[in-house]
Amino acid sequence: MDVVVIGAGIVGAACAFHAASAGLGVTVLDRGPVGAGTTSRGEGNILLSDKEPGPELELARLSRDLWDEVGKELGPGEVEFENKGGLVVASTPEGLAALHAFAARQAAAGIQTELVDRVDAFEPHIAPGLPGGVHYPQDAQVQPVLAAAGLLRAAVRRGARVRTGEAVAAVTGTDGRVTGVRTADGAVLAADAVVNAAGTWGGEVGRRLGAPVAILPRRGFVLVTEPLPPMIRHKVYSADYVANVASSDEGLETSCVVEGTRAGTILIGASRERVGFDTAMNPAVVALLAAQACRLFPFLRDVHLIRAYRGFRPYCPDHLPVVGPDPRVPGVLHACGHEGAGIGLAPGTGALITAQLLGRPWRGADPAAHTGLLPDRFLTTGGVPK
Amino acid sequence: MAEPQKPVDLVVVGAGPAGMAAAVTALDGGLRVVLVDAGSAPGGQFWRHPPDHAREALPTDDLHHDLRTYRSLRATLAAHQRTGRLTLLLDHPVWTTARAADGFTVHAVDRGRPPEERAVVLRAPALLVATGAYDRQLPFPGWDLPGVLTAGGLQSLLKGGGVVAGRRVVLGGTGPFLLPVAAALAARGAEVVAVCEAAAPSAWLRHPAPLLRNPAKWAEAAGYAGTLARHRIPVRTRTGIVGAEGEGRVAVVRTAALGADGAPLPGTERRIEADTVGVGWGFVPQLDLLLPLGCDLADAGDGTMAAAVDAGQRTTVPGLYAAGETCGVGGAALALSEGRVAAVSVLTDLSAPGRPGIRPLAAQRRAVARHRAFARALARAHPVPRDWPAWLTDDTTVCRCEEVTAGAVLAARADGSASDHRQVKQLTRAGMGWCQGRMCGPAVHCLVAARAEPYTPAERLIATPVTLGALADSAEPSTGDTPSEPT
Amino acid sequence: MTRVAAETDVPTAPGLTVDGEPLAFVPGQTLAAALVASGRVAWRTTRGGQRPRGVFCGIGVCYDCLVTVDGRRGQRACLVQARAGMAVATGEGDDG
């Protein structure tokens, strides 16, 4: 079976890695370099802590196990994989009670959680007076572009090819099934299946393939400090973050995630704004993130911000990724809409797509266990978007 | 000082020749202007001065060129400060700018009393970015040894601090800027052992017309040549600095004759004892504030991209103007003319009553055209030689901040993942450190990009480091926000 | 011979220390200028290779010359004006 994966971001790379590992013929097509889109604009979060029990958490659990395998395969140093754990802190007793209730539901869904009274035992430099939090030992970190490049290299070692080019249309046979992808330079890549792993641009790619999906951009800024000696051990964030991730509000939301990196810099994410693909700098958002980070870690007040970047998270209207075959165009599969969780969810998505292509479970991914992510959920019985 | 409460028509970022000239023209035309600069005295790099209070203790007038114009601009600025129409904010680096409904916001920090800093926000319907340029560097083995400085760094220590960085100096790179640096060092007692100019002397003869139309430039060059001759400083053309050696500080400089495309010729290497090296390969426009605003860029003809402007120095973003080296490196005389032209455009676009007549404007525009043509001829005569990477070794540091080697950069290209410096940054960390690729960006670009493609810097949303505390306070203004004490 | 500012007959102000040692300077000079005038061109080591670094670009662009001023790290010596009473710390890595 020949598969064209559109998108050389982390999700496309993971799809290529798993599909090639399963012996499928894989061609990865991207208009730009590896991981140059949203993959390069995140913090490299591999989080279980921020997810409600449900289809996304199930994919995240699968993915978390597969990240360990990826780390072993590529070498943890090569992708800066760090099994550092997450610490979610509440700022008020009421917030702590809500956080504990949330963590209890996660624990029931199989997530490791540990209630923490003394957050300063986990983070010596954290602000004094915080009532407590929850430690999530499974949360981890990876350098996303290195991971995407590493996964693609591993896929190439298994026979995959990488092509620079832009997909413009699906080519279909008389039965409506995909037989290939036409690129902007007029070439046709023959394919039995096409995977839309175009991230934030997955909506447009879906349209071109005749299988539109509603993927919208949600802008986020991430701040990077000067390099420091190790000061922050975990991914630390305020309990408000969970509410913001799940929120559908139109306006700006910021609730910062603070963490150290291997290079010594501290990353501070992440705002969420629905402003289309507007790339404009928003100094107010940067200031707000800085203020929240300084509240969590007062020592940051004297630390320099040296860089900020922004990207566009791809989200579906129900804030779940869309992973699986599109019934309107047989042979087209979607693997996009991961919002801010694409790095963490990538290996699970790649394995699930591969299982769907094979028609049987693959590396722990059982298509029957992840039906909540199928594109069908947006379609009426007539195959029209709801 | 506190944030200016008065309404302002124009914010000028950068108080070098372009910014000073623009501010003066705009003020003379009746506008209210804020002129903001990171430095402690107006003048930029060209007219870099110690702060005013140190003028007598640190005499540097003899190192400068055309101080008459500088003093006249400063006098006019001072007069406008007295009328209250000019707010001059020194020690105020700008960390970002943004578009707003009614123009622009300019976000600076007050560093008048370091290490304290306080966020300051300026607003105006018009914004002129005249942030200049900085030395373009090409790495060579040993270029990160102490005692190796940029040519501009040697000059800034002299002009700003009255300090000679060493006793035996070798200068290298390309371009006419090496000559005034050599002359200034010699005038202050340093022994300039050699000036290694990569270009061939005949390169000037290929495009003589713009040079002949700028007699002032010849006079300036002749002045430096006289100084160099007086101090018996040899200028070696088609010669490059290909290495520096030493323990803890440079002790030996290796030079070599360069082939037509810049590769060192075998058997021509010389070892010169020296404690200081100054290198510069022309300059890179400082576009950090312009790129996030979304204005178009244009090929400056010297291997860099610069702000694209019309004949009135308008960028492609309405209300945003650029002048001086941000529009392509071309020297102080060009910057002065561009600053004046830009200010006239601001006066026109804001319908200010005091715009100058047609004729002076036409003269300024002719001056811009003449100086631009000269700058382009210079760039053609002093290119970055194509084969300079020939003097690199695999273990030569390319990114000084993150200590990424040439071998690592070339490996990122070789495995097919990286064809531009932004991608190299993601894969190798070259350009991800403190300087954010300002030092290594042009070199990494040369190593991985398609040949002849000019260097476009990475977008930097944060133009200068700023403490999170200053930012946090600007997000949550506290009642205890008092103006800083007088120093 | 080379005349450096700190060796001239210009009056110098007391009271600035670098790693506890007094450093002469002329008011108006940057810390980098004062350090260079005293004969030092390096005062920091890199995080990775522990290589010596000091003044390079001289205009605030390269960040090689970082020092800690009055306990605040990450200050560019080439931009900060030397002032009496300042306590400057140089150091290992990027700790300034």
Side-chain angles (χ1 to χ4, degrees):
Chain A
M1 183 190 276
D2 287 324
V3 183
V4 169
V5 177
I6 300 172
I10 190 74
V11 173
C15 289
F17 171 77
H18 279 288
S21 299
L24 305 182
V26 176
T27 302
V28 178
L29 181 67
D30 198 308
R31 58 186 176 178
V34 174
T38 305
T39 297
S40 66
R41 303 307 171 101
E43 305 130 284
N45 281 335
I46 301 172
L47 297 187
L48 296 173
S49 53
D50 66 336
K51 291 176 181 61
E52 298 241 24
E56 192 185 8
L57 185 60
E58 288 312 304
L59 184 64
R61 289 181 57 199
L62 167 66
S63 222
R64 182 64 188 79
D65 293 340
L66 292 173
W67 265 119
D68 278 336
E69 289 181 23
V70 169
K72 284 196 198 95
E73 159 107 22
L74 303 180
E78 289 298 298
V79 296
E80 297 184 14
F81 182 84
E82 278 188 88
N83 204 347
K84 57 163 63 167
L87 181 68
V88 183
V89 298
S91 47
T92 61
E94 302 76 50
L96 185 62
L99 177 61
H100 282 175
F102 184 65
R105 293 202 290 126
Q106 291 173 309
I111 304 303
Q112 296 174 34
T113 63
E114 183 188 347
L115 305 190
V116 175
D117 296 329
R118 293 278 311 276
V119 288
D120 60 346
F122 282 75
E123 290 293 344
H125 300 287
I126 204 162
L130 294 169
V134 176
H135 175 226
Y136 292 85
Q138 291 162 298
D139 281 358
Q141 158 95 4
V142 73
Q143 208 276 31
V145 179
L146 291 179
L151 282 166
L152 264 189
R153 270 200 303 276
V156 168
R157 283 198 295 273
R158 289 160 167 79
R161 288 171 302 170
V162 181
R163 267 195 61 144
T164 301
E166 188 168 347
V168 290
V171 182
T172 49
T174 45
D175 56 355
R177 237 197 118 72
V178 155
T179 59
V181 177
R182 192 183 310 282
T183 60
D185 57 10
V188 173
L189 303 176
D192 305 301
V194 178
V195 178
N196 172 16
T200 311
W201 298 271
E204 172 61 23
V205 167
R207 262 189 299 284
R208 293 178 183 190
L209 297 174
V213 276
I215 308 281
L216 296 163
R218 199 174 182 191
R219 187 172 73 184
F221 284 91
V222 175
L223 314 188
V224 187
T225 71
E226 64 184 286
L228 298 167
M231 298 288 277
I232 299 176
R233 301 169 179 175
H234 305 82
K235 286 181 176 280
V236 182
Y237 60 91
S238 114
D240 311 334
Y241 179 82
V242 177
N244 276 0
V245 169
S247 160
S248 294
D249 280 0
E250 290 296 317
L252 163 70
E253 290 152 14
T254 59
S255 51
C256 72
V257 180
V258 184
E259 68 190 293
T261 67
R262 190 164 294 183
T265 55
I266 291 170
L267 299 185
I268 300 165
S271 57
R272 290 166 191 267
E273 292 172 279
R274 291 193 174 83
V275 291
F277 281 104
D278 181 358
T279 61
M281 174 64 168
N282 189 336
V285 169
V286 171
L288 210 53
L289 283 171
Q292 291 176 345
C294 290
R295 272 207 297 275
L296 268 181
F297 288 97
F299 80 87
L300 287 173
R301 283 190 59 82
D302 289 341
V303 172
H304 291 96
L305 170 67
I306 66 167
R307 173 170 172 233
Y309 54 93
R310 44 103 175 79
F312 297 96
R313 302 179 188 84
Y315 76 96
C316 290
D318 60 1
H319 296 279
L320 290 176
V322 51
V323 183
D326 191 306
R328 295 165 296 181
V329 186
V332 167
L333 293 85
H334 299 292
C336 45
H338 295 75
E339 196 156 353
I343 309 303
L345 297 177
T349 302
L352 180 54
I353 285 284
T354 301
Q356 288 160 339
L357 289 167
L358 297 169
R360 60 178 163 82
W362 168 258
R363 295 270 183 104
D366 181 353
H370 299 279
T371 53
L373 304 176
L374 290 171
D376 308 39
R377 68 186 196 268
F378 300 122
L379 307 174
T380 63
T381 46
V384 181
K386 273 176 197 164
Chain B
M1 65 166 289
E3 181 178 335
Q5 299 298 313
K6 292 172 290 189
V8 168
D9 302 305
L10 170 67
V11 173
V12 179
V13 184
M20 291 173 81
V24 161
T25 302
L27 288 158
D28 286 347
L31 297 186
R32 293 156 299 186
V33 176
V34 177
L35 177 57
V36 53
D37 194 280
S40 300
Q45 302 306 337
F46 182 72
W47 283 319
R48 175 180 273 262
H49 279 81
D52 285 351
H53 67 80
R55 280 300 165 74
E56 288 190 11
L58 292 169
T60 57
D61 283 3
D62 59 307
L63 303 171
H64 283 280
H65 192 76
D66 195 13
L67 270 188
R68 210 163 57 97
T69 306
Y70 176 71
R71 292 196 183 111
S72 149
L73 290 169
R74 288 230 31 199
T76 312
L77 291 175
H80 285 296
Q81 272 181 291
R82 286 192 291 274
T83 67
R85 281 198 292 116
L86 169 65
T87 305
L88 177 62
L89 298 177
L90 297 171
D91 298 310
H92 275 66
V94 174
W95 64 271
T96 198
T97 56
R99 292 201 227 185
D102 49 356
F104 300 88
T105 57
V106 176
H107 302 259
V109 283
D110 179 356
R111 284 208 192 119
R113 206 177 162 82
E116 304 299 326
E117 60 179 34
R118 198 178 58 84
V120 172
V121 183
L122 310 164
R123 291 165 215 283
L127 171 62
L128 170 62
V129 175
T131 42
Y134 49 85
D135 294 76
R136 175 162 51 193
Q137 292 301 315
L138 301 178
F140 56 87
W143 76 306
D144 57 338
L145 269 177
V148 179
L149 280 78
T150 69
L154 288 172
Q155 186 78 321
S156 77
L157 285 169
L158 273 170
K159 285 184 174 177
V163 173
V164 184
R167 292 165 201 276
R168 274 177 65 86
V169 188
V170 177
L171 297 176
T174 194
F177 178 61
L178 297 174
L179 303 180
V181 176
L185 287 167
R188 291 303 177 92
E191 183 188 352
V192 181
V193 192
V195 177
C196 303
E197 163 60 62
S202 59
W204 287 75
L205 302 174
R206 279 186 227 129
H207 306 280
L211 308 181
L212 295 173
R213 279 197 294 273
N214 285 272
K217 299 283 186 189
W218 285 120
E220 194 182 328
Y224 298 134
T227 309
L228 266 54
R230 227 171 22 256
H231 292 278
R232 300 176 191 282
I233 299 170
V235 177
R236 300 189 201 286
T237 53
R238 282 198 156 176
T239 303
I241 294 175
V242 297
E245 298 168 7
E247 288 296 321
R249 177 165 190 163
V250 56
V252 171
V253 181
R254 291 188 283 117
T255 68
L258 303 179
D261 286 316
L265 297 177
T268 64
E269 199 167 298
R270 296 180 44 181
R271 297 170 65 82
I272 304 174
E273 283 185 24
D275 59 15
T276 303
V277 179
V279 277
W281 294 90
F283 297 88
V284 183
Q286 174 55 276
L287 305 178
D288 290 349
L289 295 178
L290 289 165
L291 279 175
L293 290 171
C295 69
D296 287 356
L297 303 181
D299 186 345
D302 61 357
T304 69
M305 295 293 278
V309 288
D310 70 4
Q313 304 297 132
R314 295 175 184 87
T315 71
T316 51
V317 173
L320 178 64
Y321 308 79
E325 319 287 40
T326 49
C327 306
V329 170
L334 172 59
L336 287 167
S337 294
E338 288 188 344
R340 293 181 188 121
V341 169
V344 172
S345 295
V346 177
L347 290 166
T348 306
D349 299 345
L350 295 181
S351 305
R355 27 187 305 230
I358 304 278
R359 231 182 271 165
L361 176 61
Q364 289 300 341
R365 287 191 174 188
R366 278 198 303 277
V368 167
R370 198 176 69 236
H371 290 303
R372 270 281 159 230
F374 180 78
R376 288 196 177 257
L378 264 189
R380 279 194 295 266
H382 295 278
V384 169
R386 189 192 72 185
D387 292 342
W388 70 265
W391 64 60
L392 295 176
T393 57
D394 265 2
D395 61 355
T396 304
T397 297
V398 170
C399 167
R400 302 169 66 91
C401 301
E402 298 297 298
E403 298 175 270
V404 181
T405 62
V409 171
L410 292 171
R413 181 188 68 174
D415 86 358
S417 324
S419 58
D420 84 356
H421 60 94
R422 301 170 195 81
Q423 190 71 6
V424 170
K425 176 171 78 176
Q426 293 285 345
L427 294 167
T428 69
R429 295 197 62 77
M432 240 188 217
W434 265 102
C435 95
Q436 290 290 296
R438 291 175 178 94
M439 288 296 107
C440 68
V444 173
H445 167 79
C446 290
L447 291 176
V448 299
R451 192 158 287 169
E453 195 182 303
Y455 167 68
T456 306
E459 181 188 61
R460 300 183 186 106
L461 299 179
I462 309 298
T464 189
V466 51
T467 58
L468 291 166
L471 288 177
D473 291 343
S474 75
E476 305 165 327
S478 70
T479 48
D481 190 21
T482 51
S484 59
E485 291 160 27
T487 53
Chain C
M1 72 163 267
T2 309
R3 278 161 55 93
V4 294
E7 292 172 1
T8 66
D9 45 7
V10 174
T12 58
L16 182 154
T17 61
V18 176
D19 301 325
E21 298 291 319
L23 176 72
F25 68 98
V26 182
Q29 277 180 332
T30 63
L31 290 172
L35 281 160
V36 169
S38 78
R40 291 181 72 178
V41 286
W43 44 81
R44 200 193 116 224
T45 52
T46 56
R47 254 180 313 128
Q50 306 298 311
R51 294 166 68 85
R53 291 285 161 80
V55 61
F56 180 66
C57 82
I59 59 169
V61 185
C62 79
Y63 299 84
D64 266 0
C65 67
L66 297 175
V67 292
T68 296
V69 176
D70 295 340
R72 303 282 184 86
R73 29 177 301 133
Q75 307 294 322
R76 283 165 280 179
C78 71
L79 297 185
V80 175
Q81 302 288 322
R83 192 179 286 128
M86 257 181 188
V88 178
T90 68
E92 298 287 308
D94 284 330
D95 307 346

